[in-house]
Amino acid sequence: MFRQSRTIITKLRNLSLQCSWRSRGSSAVERALKYTTGQKIHGFTVTEVTAVPDLFLTAVKLNHDVTGAQYLHAARDDTNNLFSVQFRTTPMDSTGVPHILEHTVLCGSQRFPCRDPFFKMLNRSLSTFMNAFTASDYTMYPFSTQNAKDFQNLLSVYLDAVFFPCLRELDFWQEGWRLEHEAPTDPSSRLVFKGVVFNEMKGVFSDNERLYAQHLQNKLLPDHTYSVVSGGEPLAIPDLTWEQLKQFHATHYHPSNARIFTYGDLPLEQHLEQIEREALSKFDRTQPDTAVPPQTPWNKPRIDHVTCSSDALAPDPVKQNTLCMSYLLGDITNTFETFTLNLLSSLMISGPNSPFYKALIEPNIGTDFSSSTGFDGSTRQASFTIGLQGMAEDDCEKVKHIIAQTIDDIIATGFEEEQVEALLHKIEIQMKHQSTSFGLALASYIASCWNHDGDPVELLKISESVSRFRECLKENPHFLQEKVRQYFKDNTHQLTLSMSPDEKFLEKRAEAEEHKLQQKIQSLTDVDNKDIYEKGLQLLAAQNTIQDASCLPALKVSDIEPTIPFTPVQLSAAGGIPVQYCEQPTNGMVYFRAMCNLNSLPEDLKIYVPLFCNVITKLGCGELDYRQQAQRIELKTGGMTVSPQVIPDTDDLDLYEQGIILSSSCLERNLPDMFQLWSDTFNSPHFNDEERLRVLVMMSAQELANGISFSGHSYAMTRAARSLTPSADLQETFSGMDQVKFMKRIAEMADLTSVLRKLPRIKRHLLNPENMRCAVNATPLKMADVQGEMERFTQNIAANRKERKPVRQNIVEKSLDAHTESAASRKLISEPNFKPCQMKTYFQLPFPVNFVSECVRTVPFTHTDFPSLCILARMMTAKYLHGEIREKGGAYGGGVRLGAGGLLSFYSYRDPNSTQTLSAFRGGVEWAREGKFTQQDVDEAKLSVFSAVDAPIAPSDKGLGRFLNGVTDEMKQTYRERLFAVTDKNLIDVAGRYLAVGQQTHGVTILGPENESIRKDPSWVVK
């Protein structure tokens, strides 16, 4: 997977921490403290042992004696153990060699020579995470699992993959690029470029924001590896040869160029022994020439311009320009300076109180900050970028002037103390919040600094950095202003990059690709042509061969725990509002949720609900204007969000709950302040500032438009489902293409008064205690205080309580407590007369790739066939669709999944094909109906399903399924037992009864480029 630099910014917010809430015997943290500097363990020498109490871990640094491989172990009482190996990969061209290599090493190795062990292990393990990432200057291979045996299995596969891959030519063709006949079996069909990475990068470069970020990095750091596209420029990828790929592996994938990281509560010695025995003992030391030299600083600023495709869904069609100024900062291995600049960046751009927000966003010059805006610590020297997207070309000079003026203003006036405190409070919250993927967050957080020989342990001492930062401010009140002068005002290494749409951009890209193709074809001899045809058949034969994966290690279904641990909750009430209390070791945090149904909301206002949710906590409330409200939220909470919810019933596909969910968290000491903010939001939200609303509308519309090229498969699935169940129809209204187009219309309105007037009407229906239930997760010691605050909160908002008539007549009440006939209930909407219908929709969009989905209406969660369909979906994905859609079809991804609402969704992602993929979906169903699978396939599908079912749940989210969906632990246990009991006969049976042609109602959607055959087919609705 290609990760552009901006997506792996080393920011503290990625570090949502978790403290020990599950420990085994003696603490892993204490055990690790017993290691001593100079101690020899299995070919490694301990170089440092450091307690990091902030993060509840002990860091142990080691070096491998022979190869010099660097090793860091973070011992922590967390059962979700992680391994990661990363190599410094510094390409000097844009052929995408590190990215194609990342794909190809996972296609088979010496000990595990079967094709694609990586994807096969997804179904032979209980991993909580498995992937690989190519960044600008490193490639990382992480996995995590809660099972000790599984950890050893995955470690063997990963070590063999990276150090001893097969790197077969056929795998290079499949994953990288190849010339092949459009129909591989027909030598008279035209030759075309194919390849997974080739198509993936065409998809990446169809995203204007990603394209801009790539140009920005290439032009700001033009001296070395950052001047090229590590993921691969589509037109340069066909210049890469198989020989070059193997050579890059030989020079870069060596232990002397490796950094190995392990995390969790498993013993370090076991890891070291296995890594030494299976990999490192087979190598000598080399001197890898992979270091990135510092960029030569410029003596004067530079200006550049690039073009992109125009966006039909842009909020304002005439405002599609982007302009940013980017500044090269210091070396990221200076951890405190990097920490300071990261905080400074947040102070300058985060939220409505920041100077650049006031200067650039509020005057409505553009729709939003460019997504490249902010601090980027992923390259050897960090950078800071500030600028706008969605602006008019005429405003470019004006924006440059505003940026320069704002920098002068910051130097003159600095920042308010409360702004700095709000930011430091955010860090405190992030250090206390417990996530389930902390190991992975840690690996990403330290990757860039460690990659350039910085000290990863220094990075972990966050409290020390905060204290030192406070000290610097105390000693020198102008500390931050001096940094702004040094790095922005007086910095001549700055780039101003503008981007404008070119109507013919995609046409020109297609012409350039065709020109490249013809160049390749013209240089072919008759022997080459014969070779291409034969190799195409050879690859197809390899793809069609059933693989013997018996060489791979695997867990057994018997390794899965037969029962789940139950989560106790207490059901109570406060001021007549049902409340679920869940005592959890939340590390001094309190988590609050409230679900409010929207049954009384008039139908014409429903499409406005996502907008209402987006703005309700950002317009001001009580005595606070929107700036003061934002500051207060930052100072006193971990954030306050409101989002639309459509919850399908667990027993009936035509029954669902509709509403909004309020979420927030805070440190225990700030509990009264958090509830006061919610009280003010209920009692006196501000709906009088049209200019503020316009800013929020523009940002929202821009974000939705930008998201389609990245999440096209989600939009395709949501749309394909809309005509199959009433809940899916509402989901399309709230989060599908309908919502994208609606927000574009709102953004185009010259006068938003009519929209502003609708907000208080919506508020009266939604923020009504009559339709509300709450849930709180906190520590046992704090729960009594929480209950007292809940009582006060419900009294404070009682005046908003009003019994309103539901718009739909068919309301079904379900008790919140299955064990007792309590009065508290969820009020669901029933649509017994809903008629599912077939729909085929095509959205023509400016992308060179397709996103394809077909949805089928099946059965609800509690139905006895649901577990069989769930396992069938996993099995079809792994054993049939992966081969057809990705390996043969060249799409980046594809498969089928069963949603909680009983909709089975086939999908493909960044797919060069459209209707052919629909045929692959059909083929998958026939394959299953004919029983062309083994008992091993069934068992692997079960393992894959259980790895998702048993994914760790953070203390903040325990009991949430019960609160929202009414899914109790007993229901989960019943589902679990049914999953264990699924047989091959069940799978053949459900494939025939639900998925065969004519059995159930289907919906189909494709998002993609112009398609002549679909346009001419009257069965398609073309948008």
Side-chain angles (χ1 to χ4, degrees):
M1 181 169 96
F2 173 57
R3 298 183 108 184
Q4 211 151 4
S5 64
R6 302 275 159 188
T7 63
I8 46 174
I9 293 172
T10 308
K11 280 189 175 169
L12 291 170
R13 65 181 163 80
N14 292 347
L15 265 185
S16 294
L17 314 178
Q18 80 191 22
C19 77
S20 56
W21 78 89
R22 293 165 301 185
S23 71
R24 301 169 168 176
S26 74
S27 153
V29 179
E30 290 163 12
R31 286 199 307 271
L33 281 170
K34 291 175 182 163
Y35 296 116
T36 54
T37 305
Q39 187 177 347
K40 303 273 185 189
I41 319 170
H42 299 300
F44 288 83
T45 300
V46 176
T47 59
E48 185 186 334
V49 181
T50 309
V52 186
D54 287 350
L55 310 185
F56 305 93
L57 63 82
T58 300
V60 183
K61 270 166 84 172
L62 308 97
N63 271 348
H64 187 247
D65 299 337
V66 176
T67 64
Q70 298 177 48
Y71 195 112
L72 176 65
H73 178 64
R76 202 153 180 272
D77 295 311
D78 182 355
T79 56
N80 195 17
N81 288 267
L82 176 121
F83 164 85
S84 159
V85 58
Q86 72 178 64
F87 302 96
R88 189 158 57 201
T89 46
T90 46
M92 296 308 290
D93 60 42
S94 293
T95 57
V97 58
H99 186 192
I100 293 170
L101 182 60
E102 173 227 304
H103 280 239
T104 315
V105 300
L106 299 173
C107 289
S109 60
Q110 285 178 20
R111 280 180 66 198
F112 310 111
C114 64
R115 283 183 60 251
D116 226 350
F118 175 78
F119 278 97
K120 289 182 173 61
M121 284 306 290
L122 285 170
N123 305 291
R124 298 168 78 89
S125 106
L126 290 170
S127 68
T128 52
F129 185 84
M130 276 178 74
N131 214 328
F133 307 119
T134 302
S136 301
D137 53 14
Y138 68 82
T139 308
M140 175 192 272
Y141 297 85
F143 72 77
S144 60
T145 176
Q146 301 180 89
N147 182 297
K149 181 180 169 189
D150 199 25
F151 190 96
Q152 291 176 351
N153 289 350
L154 288 167
L155 183 54
S156 292
V157 173
Y158 265 61
L159 289 172
D160 212 55
V162 297
F163 290 117
F164 312 108
C166 295
L167 298 183
R168 292 172 286 237
E169 192 172 17
L170 283 181
D171 295 326
F172 168 60
W173 291 341
Q174 174 184 290
E175 295 299 316
W177 77 276
R178 64 189 182 276
L179 266 180
E180 190 177 83
H181 291 283
E182 206 159 30
T185 53
D186 177 7
S188 66
S189 64
R190 65 190 285 261
L191 287 171
V192 292
F193 287 131
K194 293 184 183 177
V196 173
V197 170
F198 178 74
N199 287 316
E200 180 191 351
M201 295 312 294
K202 278 175 73 172
V204 167
F205 275 74
S206 68
D207 178 337
N208 289 346
E209 289 295 290
R210 298 282 295 270
L211 181 72
Y212 183 83
Q214 185 65 62
H215 280 302
L216 194 67
Q217 179 178 294
N218 296 159
K219 292 172 187 299
L220 184 70
L221 293 152
D223 284 5
H224 199 257
T225 192
Y226 304 125
S227 64
V228 305
V229 184
S230 65
E233 150 64 56
L235 296 179
I237 288 172
D239 295 332
L240 181 66
T241 67
W242 180 42
E243 292 302 328
Q244 288 168 333
L245 181 91
K246 291 189 290 184
Q247 183 55 38
F248 194 86
H249 179 271
T251 53
H252 291 75
Y253 278 50
H254 190 281
S256 301
N257 190 44
R259 286 146 185 83
I260 299 168
F261 175 66
T262 50
Y263 162 89
D265 65 356
L266 290 174
L268 170 61
E269 287 93 329
Q270 283 180 16
H271 302 334
L272 298 177
E273 190 278 327
Q274 187 178 349
I275 290 166
E276 167 68 359
R277 173 170 42 84
E278 294 184 6
L280 302 195
S281 60
K282 299 172 173 67
F283 290 90
D284 295 319
R285 189 182 290 244
T286 63
Q287 299 299 325
D289 181 21
T290 57
V292 181
Q295 165 68 41
T296 308
W298 302 339
N299 55 13
K300 62 177 187 198
R302 296 184 185 179
I303 297 173
D304 214 324
H305 179 76
V306 294
T307 57
C308 63
S309 61
S310 63
D311 183 358
L313 293 168
D316 185 341
V318 297
K319 290 176 137 188
Q320 293 196 39
N321 286 55
T322 297
L323 180 130
C324 286
M325 294 178 77
S326 199
Y327 302 82
L328 190 67
L329 310 177
D331 194 308
I332 59 169
T333 59
N334 182 340
T335 49
F336 180 66
E337 193 72 355
T338 303
F339 177 85
T340 301
L341 291 169
N342 201 342
L343 292 195
L344 179 57
S345 157
S346 290
L347 287 168
M348 295 200 300
I349 62 166
S350 291
N353 292 291
S354 64
F356 277 117
Y357 190 103
K358 291 175 186 173
L360 287 174
I361 298 295
E362 293 189 346
N364 264 314
I365 305 164
T367 50
D368 198 352
F369 286 130
S370 155
S371 59
S372 295
T373 291
F375 179 84
D376 181 1
S378 66
T379 49
R380 176 171 170 180
Q381 285 151 286
S383 60
F384 172 79
T385 300
I386 180 66
L388 289 174
Q389 59 180 316
M391 49 180 276
E393 197 165 354
D394 296 349
D395 285 331
C396 284
E397 287 307 315
K398 182 178 180 180
V399 169
K400 287 188 217 173
H401 174 73
I402 290 172
I403 291 171
Q405 183 59 52
T406 307
I407 286 169
D408 286 342
D409 292 347
I410 295 170
I411 292 168
T413 59
F415 302 96
E416 289 171 28
E417 190 181 342
E418 204 170 51
Q419 275 177 277
V420 177
E421 283 307 318
L423 188 59
L424 296 177
H425 168 259
K426 191 188 267 187
I427 293 173
E428 185 181 358
I429 286 235
Q430 284 160 352
M431 285 169 64
K432 284 199 173 276
H433 176 67
Q434 304 168 31
S435 84
T436 54
S437 56
F438 179 59
L440 182 65
L442 211 54
S444 297
Y445 177 64
I446 63 174
S448 292
C449 178
W450 197 16
N451 190 49
H452 298 289
D453 300 316
D455 184 354
V457 179
E458 277 300 305
L459 271 183
L460 303 181
K461 300 174 183 172
I462 297 166
S463 281
E464 285 184 23
S465 295
V466 170
S467 301
R468 191 171 158 194
F469 180 75
R470 284 189 183 280
E471 203 56 43
C472 290
L473 282 177
K474 200 169 148 190
E475 286 172 11
N476 176 7
H478 297 284
F479 173 65
L480 290 173
Q481 285 130 288
E482 286 168 10
K483 295 289 178 200
V484 173
R485 179 179 292 282
Q486 176 189 347
Y487 286 105
F488 306 114
K489 176 78 172 167
D490 299 341
N491 186 353
T492 49
H493 197 113
Q494 55 174 273
L495 171 71
T496 303
L497 182 66
S498 54
M499 179 170 78
S500 60
D502 175 354
E503 290 299 327
K504 298 199 166 167
F505 181 81
L506 289 175
E507 202 180 305
K508 287 175 185 171
R509 296 260 335 165
E511 281 170 11
E513 186 184 321
E514 184 59 31
H515 178 68
K516 185 88 177 176
L517 180 66
Q518 292 310 322
Q519 268 186 325
K520 291 273 181 195
I521 291 171
Q522 281 157 18
S523 66
L524 299 174
T525 63
D526 289 348
V527 176
D528 292 333
N529 276 308
K530 187 165 177 281
D531 195 38
I532 284 170
Y533 173 61
E534 285 172 358
K535 281 179 172 172
L537 293 178
Q538 201 183 333
L539 180 59
L540 192 60
Q543 289 166 338
N544 284 328
T545 305
I546 293 175
Q547 293 290 309
D548 176 13
S550 59
C551 61
L552 287 169
L555 291 181
K556 297 183 177 68
V557 174
S558 57
D559 290 322
I560 300 167
E561 288 291 333
T563 56
I564 57 161
F566 278 36
T567 300
V569 298
Q570 179 196 341
L571 298 174
S572 181
I577 296 172
V579 185
Q580 172 185 293
Y581 295 105
C582 185
E583 293 183 351
Q584 289 291 324
T586 55
N587 195 22
M589 295 282 294
V590 179
Y591 297 90
F592 167 76
R593 272 104 175 179
M595 174 77 186
C596 306
N597 78 46
L598 50 88
N599 295 348
S600 67
L601 185 73
E603 292 291 331
D604 65 309
L605 294 177
K606 269 191 183 171
I607 197 158
Y608 289 89
V609 167
L611 174 62
F612 173 84
C613 290
N614 187 12
V615 304
I616 185 65
T617 58
K618 297 172 188 161
L619 292 168
C621 62
E623 295 185 352
L624 307 172
D625 64 26
Y626 69 87
R627 286 210 178 102
Q628 294 164 326
Q629 179 188 32
Q631 189 94 301
R632 195 101 186 121
I633 288 172
E634 292 263 287
L635 265 174
K636 299 296 181 182
T637 77
M640 294 171 63
T641 60
V642 183
S643 51
Q645 287 290 89
V646 183
I647 303 172
D649 183 51
T650 51
D651 303 318
D652 179 350
L653 293 185
D654 296 325
L655 197 60
Y656 62 96
E657 188 177 17
Q658 52 177 1
I660 59 170
I661 185 161
L662 285 52
S663 302
S664 64
S665 61
C666 67
L667 298 169
E668 288 173 349
R669 65 173 186 260
N670 292 328
L671 192 57
D673 299 292
M674 179 177 80
F675 278 128
Q676 186 58 52
L677 281 161
W678 280 123
S679 297
D680 288 344
T681 304
F682 271 73
N683 295 334
S684 47
H686 298 184
F687 295 123
N688 53 3
D689 188 340
E690 190 190 338
E691 280 312 302
R692 174 64 178 155
L693 180 65
R694 181 171 301 283
V695 166
L696 297 172
V697 161
M698 284 298 186
M699 290 172 106
S700 178
Q702 185 69 59
E703 190 179 351
L704 286 171
N706 289 351
I708 297 171
S709 65
F710 185 72
S711 306
H713 61 311
S714 298
Y715 282 103
M717 286 190 279
T718 303
R719 184 59 171 225
R722 83 166 307 172
S723 60
L724 303 182
T725 65
S727 62
D729 186 36
L730 183 57
Q731 196 65 59
E732 166 67 20
T733 302
F734 282 171
S735 62
M737 292 299 290
D738 275 4
Q739 183 63 212
V740 177
K741 295 196 164 182
F742 171 73
M743 283 305 297
K744 175 176 162 58
R745 285 204 307 278
I746 298 289
E748 287 170 347
M749 289 168 68
D751 182 356
L752 289 177
T753 318
S754 62
V755 178
L756 205 53
R757 286 201 198 109
K758 288 183 172 72
L759 298 179
R761 283 178 62 203
I762 297 170
K763 181 256 163 190
R764 282 197 293 277
H765 291 279
L766 265 55
L767 299 187
N768 177 359
E770 180 70 22
N771 304 329
M772 179 168 153
R773 64 179 185 275
C774 301
V776 183
N777 287 25
T779 57
L781 281 172
K782 195 66 184 170
M783 209 49 103
D785 290 354
V786 169
Q787 288 169 339
E789 288 299 334
M790 273 302 304
E791 286 289 349
R792 269 188 288 284
F793 168 59
T794 53
Q795 283 164 16
N796 283 342
I797 62 170
N800 297 282
R801 190 171 198 135
K802 189 170 180 192
E803 196 166 337
R804 295 177 185 275
K805 241 181 109 182
V807 172
R808 305 273 175 105
Q809 296 312 306
N810 297 313
I811 301 287
V812 174
E813 296 205 21
K814 284 202 161 187
S815 173
L816 284 171
D817 189 354
H819 303 295
T820 63
E821 287 304 309
S822 71
S825 62
R826 298 166 62 219
K827 295 177 176 62
L828 287 79
I829 303 289
S830 172
E831 297 199 21
N833 302 321
F834 181 85
K835 293 277 182 288
C837 62
Q838 310 269 33
M839 279 281 286
K840 289 164 74 178
T841 314
Y842 190 87
F843 286 91
Q844 187 180 316
L845 293 166
F847 305 148
V849 287
N850 297 279
F851 301 93
V852 184
S853 179
E854 179 171 0
C855 279
V856 188
R857 179 183 161 113
T858 65
V859 293
F861 176 73
T862 55
H863 194 286
T864 50
D865 288 336
F866 189 90
S868 299
L869 285 161
C870 198
I871 288 168
L872 178 66
R874 287 297 172 109
M875 190 172 71
M876 279 198 292
T877 297
K879 301 298 173 183
Y880 185 86
L881 294 173
H882 174 77
E884 294 297 313
I885 296 171
R886 182 179 164 115
E887 292 184 353
K888 294 182 196 172
Y892 183 57
V896 56
R897 59 178 70 150
L898 180 62
L903 294 170
L904 194 85
S905 303
F906 293 86
Y907 67 94
S908 71
Y909 184 72
R910 289 184 177 158
D911 189 347
N913 306 304
S914 55
T915 46
Q916 302 95 304
T917 299
L918 293 173
S919 303
F921 296 160
R922 290 285 95 223
V925 173
E926 291 313 307
W927 171 86
R929 283 182 68 201
E930 290 165 18
K932 293 182 176 176
F933 50 85
T934 64
Q935 185 56 45
Q936 176 69 24
D937 295 338
V938 179
D939 288 348
E940 288 183 12
K942 285 186 180 180
L943 278 167
S944 182
V945 168
F946 274 109
S947 76
V949 167
D950 291 341
I953 300 170
S956 54
D957 296 336
K958 288 277 176 83
L960 203 53
R962 178 190 186 124
F963 171 70
L964 288 177
N965 317 316
V967 177
T968 62
D969 288 334
E970 289 85 358
M971 289 164 75
K972 286 181 187 172
Q973 184 59 36
T974 301
Y975 173 56
R976 187 178 198 84
E977 286 158 15
R978 286 176 175 171
L979 283 172
F980 278 119
V982 170
T983 65
D984 53 348
K985 288 187 177 60
N986 296 145
L987 299 179
I988 294 167
D989 172 48
V990 295
R993 277 194 295 120
Y994 295 105
L995 306 184
V997 175
Q999 290 299 318
Q1000 294 291 330
T1001 316
H1002 293 237
V1004 179
T1005 297
I1006 299 178
L1007 276 64
E1010 192 169 346
N1011 189 312
E1012 201 53 41
S1013 62
I1014 285 180
R1015 190 169 280 287
K1016 288 176 179 168
D1017 182 342
S1019 70
W1020 285 88
V1021 176
V1022 179
K1023 295 280 183 181

